[in-house]
Amino acid sequence: MGRVLEEARFAVAFTESMKEMAQAQWPHAKGKIYVQSQGIATTPNAAFNWNTFLQRSEINHSADNLHIFLLICGLRQVKDPLYLVDAFSEWHQEEPSVYLVIAGPEVDPVFTREVKAKVRRAAGVRLIGEMPQEDLHAVVKNCFAVVNSSVSEGMSAAILEAMNLEVPVLARNIPGNAAVVKHEVTGLLFSNPQEFVHLAKRLLSEPALEKEIVVNGREYVRTYHSWQAERDAYQQLIRKLEGSAED
């Protein structure tokens, strides 16, 4: 990383705290690190059939008050997709209308086998493969909440996309998530599986809390994660490069 930074003309950090950490680690790069948060644009497929999706996922879509919690991640250990499986499965047995759907590509083949074996035995938990982005955005729009259980994150696009699509977010309380999710303001942060279930139940039983989180989350993304601002920032950096190439 240090050698790459020596050769790079610019580096972009998503947050001020990331920039500070990088500068402390690589003091020689101080003048070349810029801050630009991730820009978000969502394009849900308007023709997406939610009932067909539920059928394919083997979810009883005639269940009253069906509530789908969606965990979007590549199947690799840093995403910790199994973190909530036992606690969620127990909750599903008490409350059959709640389901956890894990969606994402099979990144690590060995770990994927472990995930598949565990999910097969877990009531109320489903695993679906990678989907086209427009379809995934349609699933997000139809689900009750988006979940993030990663051990480590830079800046989760799935969290920001959910906010943009006006869907509440429940995220594991790690620095990358806490940088974008303010507890009980733009989402809910949990520190263990039991706290996740407690907060998920709160979200189900307190529509005012859900509404507040959704409104604040959408406002936050539109204010701080504009794709136009991200595009403009990179265009400026490229212009600087072009300018120095001409000198």
Side-chain angles (χ1 to χ4, degrees), residues 80-122:
D80 211 358
L82 297 178
Y83 184 63
L84 299 171
V85 166
D86 288 337
F88 200 100
S89 198
E90 268 180 52
W91 181 31
H92 171 82
Q93 282 161 324
E94 291 165 30
E95 183 54 75
S97 65
V98 298
Y99 283 85
L100 176 65
V101 174
I102 303 168
E106 300 180 0
V107 180
D108 174 338
V110 176
F111 184 59
T112 294
R113 285 200 291 276
E114 187 187 325
V115 172
K116 285 180 174 176
K118 177 89 174 176
V119 168
R120 261 197 301 274
R121 300 191 300 271

Side-chain angles (χ1 to χ4, degrees), residues 159-178:
I159 286 177
L160 298 171
E161 287 168 353
M163 289 178 179
N164 199 42
L165 290 165
E166 302 181 24
V167 173
V169 168
L170 292 118
R172 192 166 174 175
N173 194 356
I174 54 169
N177 288 344

Side-chain angles (χ1 to χ4, degrees), residues 1-244:
M1 283 285 287
R3 285 204 295 276
V4 168
L5 266 175
E6 272 174 38
E7 295 295 327
R9 284 296 311 280
F10 306 114
V12 178
F14 282 151
T15 61
E16 282 293 342
S17 64
M18 279 186 194
K19 177 182 174 179
E20 284 161 18
M21 282 166 67
Q23 286 176 340
Q25 180 77 28
W26 300 290
H28 67 269
K30 247 189 175 115
K32 56 169 81 168
I33 304 176
Y34 294 76
V35 176
Q36 174 55 50
S37 59
Q38 193 169 192
I40 291 299
T42 50
T43 51
N45 176 2
F48 186 79
N49 190 314
W50 179 239
N51 283 335
T52 303
F53 169 78
L54 293 175
Q55 263 174 327
R56 281 202 193 124
S57 308
E58 297 179 5
I59 289 171
N60 177 9
H61 57 292
S62 62
D64 286 342
N65 305 318
L66 185 65
H67 293 101
I68 305 290
F69 290 77
L70 181 67
L71 171 57
I72 302 166
C73 67
L75 299 185
R76 53 199 180 107
Q77 284 178 324
V78 72
K79 298 295 182 183
D80 211 358
L82 297 178
Y83 184 63
L84 299 171
V85 166
D86 288 337
F88 200 100
S89 198
E90 268 180 52
W91 181 31
H92 171 82
Q93 282 161 324
E94 291 165 30
E95 183 54 75
S97 65
V98 298
Y99 283 85
L100 176 65
V101 174
I102 303 168
E106 300 180 0
V107 180
D108 174 338
V110 176
F111 184 59
T112 294
R113 285 200 291 276
E114 187 187 325
V115 172
K116 285 180 174 176
K118 177 89 174 176
V119 168
R120 261 197 301 274
R121 300 191 300 271
V125 183
R126 301 289 185 268
L127 182 63
I128 59 171
E130 197 170 6
M131 300 175 79
Q133 194 175 42
E134 288 83 359
D135 289 355
L136 187 60
H137 287 165
V139 174
V140 170
K141 208 168 165 50
N142 280 285
C143 75
F144 176 70
V146 163
V147 179
N148 179 296
S149 60
S150 298
V151 175
S152 173
E153 281 286 356
M155 181 175 281
S156 165
I159 286 177
L160 298 171
E161 287 168 353
M163 289 178 179
N164 199 42
L165 290 165
E166 302 181 24
V167 173
V169 168
L170 292 118
R172 192 166 174 175
N173 194 356
I174 54 169
N177 288 344
V180 293
V181 178
K182 192 172 179 191
H183 186 58
E184 296 184 343
V185 178
T186 56
L188 297 171
L189 293 170
F190 59 87
S191 297
N192 56 59
Q194 293 69 34
E195 190 179 13
F196 164 80
V197 172
H198 168 73
L199 290 170
K201 286 178 176 175
R202 256 190 81 190
L203 204 54
L204 286 171
S205 62
E206 296 181 30
L209 174 67
E210 183 199 357
K211 188 178 177 186
E212 189 181 346
I213 281 172
V214 162
V215 168
N216 292 339
R218 184 191 61 203
E219 197 51 42
Y220 166 75
V221 166
R222 289 178 189 178
T223 305
Y224 297 103
H225 295 278
S226 147
W227 65 265
Q228 292 99 329
E230 183 182 43
R231 177 195 61 193
D232 294 348
Y234 281 98
Q235 282 178 339
Q236 277 184 308
L237 293 179
I238 289 164
R239 284 193 198 104
K240 280 189 187 179
L241 274 182
E242 288 171 343
S244 60

